[in-house]
Amino acid sequence: MNRRLFLRTGSLAGLTLTTAGLTALDNTKSLKDSATNQQGRFELEEITIDELQQKMKSGQTSSVTITQLYLNRIALIDKAGPTINAVIEINKDALAIAAAMDKERKAGKIRGPLHGIPVLIKDNINTGDKMMTTAGALAMTGNIAAKDAFIVEQLRAAGAVLLGKTNLSEWANFRSSRSTSGWSSRGGQTKCPYITDRNPSGSSAGSGAAAAASLCAVAIGTETDGSIVSPAAVNGLVGIKPTVGLWSRSGIIPISATQDTAGPMARTVRDAAILLGALTGVDSKDAVTMQSEGKYHKDYTGFLDAGSLKGKRIGIEKMHLKGNEKVVTLLRQAMALMEKQGAILVEVEILKSIAELGDAEFTVLQYEFKEGVNSYLATANCKMKSLQDVIDFNLQNESRAMPYFKQETLISSQAKGNLDTKEYTDALAKSLSSRTLIGNLMKEQQLDAVCGVTNGLACCIDLINGDYDTGFSFSTPAAVAGFPHITVPMGFVHELPLGISFFGTAYTEPALLGIAYAYEQASKKRNKPTFKADLLK
């Protein structure tokens, strides 16, 4: 959560490695041959889910081979150099899962479009396997979940290969007011694969950097306010923050029962839509998902129509029409393209209205964080049993747990009362009034979506001073309202990606996906990362 504001080789015909021969890839030369570096070629770079499925269907490759190639890519690109440090832990069962999916395929059983597809997930999502779930915190080391989160159950049922877990801003960026996004005491600093001295944003920093760098087919992040859409935009990805309740939150280390959700991060709208549908469903352990009954879809790809912009009324955030001139130029180019595709654009001021709600959101988050973390830790398989335990651990291990910034947000949350406190109920009511505010605006203006610049350009990594405001942010309206929000690549400024956002009211994912897909197909602004060391090189 943002608390402040290589060319494709095309064919996979060369993927002829056998399972028996995979062990030969352990040496450095073989790693470079199969995973390459930033100047070379990687068979899976920028590949889509559909392309992977076609190659497995034709027998050109297998899930085991694909999984091993991604593992090699992680070993080379993520850890050896240029070291973007996106993956915090590898799943030791990944190749076994892939082999099982290959066996099912050979027997004629195909579970769906994710069958045999490697996925990385954020390290605040429970997996009932050998991997830890720590939210990046040293205090949570050793937390081996007893069972999968509901969405991980769905992921496995869909036939996906759980490749590993990604680094994140510790505690999903809810630890300090001067934190550095993408840094955690357990995982260290994740870097932007476009220019590696730049911050990949957060809190889903690892998921964003990993998907951008082709370390996996698709990834999963989580968001409270900006934690999917911001790193997606900064890393040149499509990111979907679903309506709160479309995906279950049970088994995910929480911040807010009101705003939390997990969601897809992918290189294309279609891949994001495939992942979105696979993980929907009602979960008895998350009451909010009951509201999605009859509203969710298991397949959203049918809503992807390249002509979906025609006749759509889209509200453009007026505040984003000023500021960094290069960013504004890209937005105006996107607006012209949308109008060319038949969209009707209307200027609106949603950010100003949301800002008038004041500090209600942060108050709600502090109360709900304390309640949610205490509830999670009470049954977790780790030594920490309460938020106070975490605070105490950090104080006792300050040089390792808090070497750059401290934990004032943890402390202020711990000082809050329970959810019956008037301060909380008043703040919640004020925060939730955003739903009516946005709904009324969209109804009055007859809007199909509201649009703006997702986030500013990636800032430099600064562990001493923390993140700084880059002038644009569009996550809060949809976040506080619990509404769906999709970001799509809009272009580049100084080789750094920018995203354009579309959000609407609850459960309007089908319409938003159509709009996002039409924009993506007309604009084609996604480019692969180049792993530059800094802007001047």
Side-chain angles (χ1 to χ4, degrees), residues 155-217:
L155 194 64
R156 294 188 197 274
V161 176
L162 186 48
L163 194 60
K165 293 194 175 183
T166 55
N167 194 29
L168 67 157
S169 310
E170 187 171 325
W171 290 108
N173 228 350
F174 207 71
R175 201 190 92 179
S176 170
S177 58
R178 56 181 181 89
S179 61
T180 298
S181 291
W183 184 91
S184 74
S185 56
R186 179 186 171 211
Q189 180 66 51
T190 298
K191 303 173 184 179
C192 177
Y194 287 87
I195 301 180
T196 59
D197 69 347
R198 295 273 161 171
N199 195 304
S201 190
S203 65
S204 304
S207 294
S214 293
L215 304 186
C216 57

Side-chain angles (χ1 to χ4, degrees), residues 86 183 382 434:
W183 184 91
C382 69
S434 59

